[in-house]
């Protein structure tokens, strides 16, 4: 949340859209993943490969405690209990920003700005399901015709874009200066699924601004107690989360199938708005002290290639995100190959 706020101000001061790309990376991935769907509990620390959330027998987080990854009222330290709720409101306030002679659509979320240009009241509404869809529709209404500039940010994660049918490059701001009255501007963003290299010869999978994870079925255990004079009872209690499905996977193919689904809540773990079909194999991957090993013990496939659904990182509590990419040498028909990052 604090880093998001810094990125919002860094863009406002510098005008460099890389800060908005980084802002959306956090807002659409890390922030929702660290908060329970009901927003009554959060983590102090999250792990990209997070296979369980219960107190560890020893402390792996250096300066933080062995319960820092629990979902709760104030796991490890109380500062986030007061701070995490600022993330979404401040992000929403950055959806539109004031420009020199108009406005800029900065953070791409459903939003509406009302402002005055040369004494004329204007409203600009962005209708979109981004980041789960790739279209933006701007509806501009002015009390009477007035000239101003509308800046539309094209995310750096896009391959390209079309603004009212005209091709535009990604990673900048498209400037539309015209006389506005009652107008509509339509934007189409083009995304590709990409495999990105990570440390320890691991990879992760992105599509547009969304990071994808292999989800793990979860069992949430409610933990109620009293500490320092504070009674932790539902809904402001803690939770232990245990895995109920396998997680020891490696990617076995660089071809993915994107599936868009009807949705109401963007980060619903039960009904995610979008998924990626992926092919994986089981590998030997150690688990000790409440978390998986940093790297797998052996990358040799232990199973045939399986098809699974990866879901947005922000929809998960338990997940595997950084995994190896392997070739199943036992299957001559398997054409798995490492994609470009």
């Amino acid at each position: 949340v604090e880093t998001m706020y810094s990125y919002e101000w860094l863009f406002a001061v510098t005008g460099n859209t890389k800060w908005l790309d980084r802002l959306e990376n956090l807002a659409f991935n890390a922030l929702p993943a660290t908060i329970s769907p009901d927003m009554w509990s959060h983590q102090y620390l999250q792990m990209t490969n997070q296979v369980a959330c219960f107190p560890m027998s020893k402390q792996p987080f250096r300066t933080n405690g062995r319960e820092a990854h629990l979902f709760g009222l104030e796991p490890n330290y109380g500062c986030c209990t007061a701070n995490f709720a600022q993330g979404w409101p401040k992000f929403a306030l950055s959806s539109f920003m004031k420009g020199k002679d108009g406005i800029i659509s900065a953070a791409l979320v459903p939003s509406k700005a009302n402002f005055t240009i040369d004494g004329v009241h204007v409203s600009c509404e962005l209708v979109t399901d981004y980041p789960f869809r790739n279209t933006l529709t701007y509806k501009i209404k002015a009390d009477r015709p007035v000239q101003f500039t509308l800046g539309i940010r094209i995310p750096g994660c896009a391959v390209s874009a079309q603004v009212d049918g005209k091709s535009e490059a990604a990673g900048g701001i498209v400037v539309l200066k015209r006389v506005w009255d009652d107008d509509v501007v339509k934007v189409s963003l083009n995304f590709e699924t990409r495999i990105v290299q990570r440390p320890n010869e691991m990879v992760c999978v992105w599509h547009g601004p969304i990071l994808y994870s292999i989800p793990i079925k979860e069992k949430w255990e409610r933990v109620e107690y009293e500490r320092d004079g504070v009674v932790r009872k539902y809904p402001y209690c803690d939770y232990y989360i245990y895995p109920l499905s396998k997680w020891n996977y490696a990617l076995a193919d660089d071809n993915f199938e994107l599936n868009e689904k009807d949705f109401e809540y963007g980060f619903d773990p039960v009904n995610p708005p979008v998924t990626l079909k992926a092919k994986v194999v089981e590998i030997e991957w150690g688990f000790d002290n409440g978390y998986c090993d940093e790297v797998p013990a052996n990358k040799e496939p232990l199973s045939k290639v399986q098809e699974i659904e990866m879901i947005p990182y922000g929809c998960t509590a338990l997940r595997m995100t950084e995994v190896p990419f392997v070739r199943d040498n036992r299957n001559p028909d398997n054409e798995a190959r490492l994609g470009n990052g």
Side-chain angles (χ1 to χ4, degrees):
V1 164
E2 292 170 348
T3 305
M4 286 169 57
Y5 192 47
S6 296
Y7 289 160
E8 291 156 14
W9 272 104
L10 282 165
F11 170 71
V13 171
T14 68
N16 191 328
T17 57
K18 74 176 182 181
W19 302 116
L20 295 175
D21 291 334
R22 296 181 184 184
L23 168 65
E24 290 188 354
N25 281 353
L26 295 180
F28 298 147
N29 299 286
L31 180 58
T34 203
I35 304 170
S36 61
D38 63 5
M39 296 193 75
W40 275 100
S41 64
H42 66 279
Q43 296 176 289
Y44 189 78
L45 297 177
Q46 65 175 262
M47 293 179 278
T48 52
N49 288 349
Q50 187 163 270
V51 300
C53 293
F54 55 80
M56 301 176 182
S57 57
K58 59 183 179 180
Q59 189 276 96
F61 296 129
R62 297 187 180 180
T63 58
N64 296 301
R66 63 189 187 92
E67 298 182 353
H69 64 313
L70 298 186
F71 283 82
L73 175 66
E74 49 176 356
N76 193 74
Y77 202 73
C79 60
C80 292
T81 306
N83 288 341
F84 85 88
Q86 301 179 50
W88 294 122
K90 289 181 177 178
F91 181 59
L93 286 172
S94 298
S95 56
F96 285 97
M97 293 190 181
K98 185 178 179 181
K100 290 183 178 180
D101 55 356
I103 60 169
I104 297 170
S105 176
L108 305 180
V109 289
S111 50
K112 186 177 183 179
N114 293 287
F115 56 100
T116 300
I117 294 285
D118 295 335
V120 179
H121 177 265
V122 181
S123 70
C124 181
E125 181 181 7
L126 171 54
V127 180
T128 184
D129 282 330
Y130 179 90
F132 308 111
R133 301 293 187 267
N134 68 336
T135 58
L136 315 170
T137 300
Y138 293 88
K139 298 181 178 180
I140 300 98
K141 293 186 178 181
D143 285 350
R144 63 177 185 272
V146 62
Q147 179 174 292
F148 64 89
T149 297
L150 171 62
I152 299 175
R153 169 178 156 262
I154 306 300
C157 60
V159 178
S160 60
Q162 290 79 41
V163 178
D164 279 344
K166 180 183 177 182
S167 294
E168 300 286 355
I173 295 176
V174 175
V175 177
L176 303 178
K177 187 171 185 178
R178 63 180 69 162
V179 175
W180 304 89
D181 185 6
D182 188 352
D183 300 278
V184 174
V185 177
K186 293 188 175 182
V187 180
S188 178
L189 304 170
N190 304 315
F191 299 126
E192 291 181 351
T193 303
R194 61 194 191 279
I195 295 177
V196 177
Q197 297 279 358
R198 297 295 296 155
N200 300 316
E201 298 183 341
M202 311 278 259
V203 299
C204 61
V205 180
W206 290 81
H207 184 87
I210 297 295
L211 174 63
Y212 282 81
S213 297
I214 299 171
I216 303 171
K217 292 183 180 179
E218 308 160 358
K219 176 187 176 182
W220 287 62
E221 179 182 296
R222 187 183 300 174
V223 182
E224 300 178 330
Y225 58 97
E226 181 176 346
R227 179 184 294 172
D228 300 328
V230 179
V231 178
R232 319 295 178 92
K233 294 185 71 68
Y234 177 82
Y236 36 91
C237 58
D238 290 355
Y239 295 92
Y240 298 165
I241 311 178
Y242 300 92
L244 296 179
S245 62
K246 293 180 179 180
W247 49 265
N248 55 310
Y249 293 114
L251 283 176
D253 198 290
D254 63 353
N255 294 308
F256 303 89
E257 180 183 327
L258 182 72
N259 294 307
E260 297 178 345
K261 302 181 179 183
D262 294 334
F263 69 99
E264 294 183 7
Y265 170 57
F267 299 103
D268 187 345
V270 177
N271 183 35
V274 64
T275 64
L276 280 179
K277 283 187 179 180
K279 293 181 180 179
V280 299
V281 291
E282 295 178 36
I283 59 173
E284 182 182 354
W285 205 323
F287 175 88
D288 184 39
N289 188 41
Y291 57 93
C292 69
D293 293 345
E294 186 174 1
V295 295
N298 193 319
K299 299 178 183 178
E300 192 68 25
L302 300 177
S303 71
K304 294 182 179 180
V305 174
Q306 309 168 42
E307 189 173 76
I308 62 165
E309 277 197 325
M310 302 181 73
I311 70 174
Y313 183 95
C315 294
T316 65
L318 302 185
R319 60 188 166 260
M320 292 296 287
T321 311
E322 299 189 13
V323 298
F325 192 104
V326 303
R327 182 192 298 273
D328 185 0
N329 294 318
R330 300 168 303 168
N331 183 359
D333 296 328
N334 178 19
E335 297 297 333
R337 59 195 183 281
L338 184 61
N340 292 326

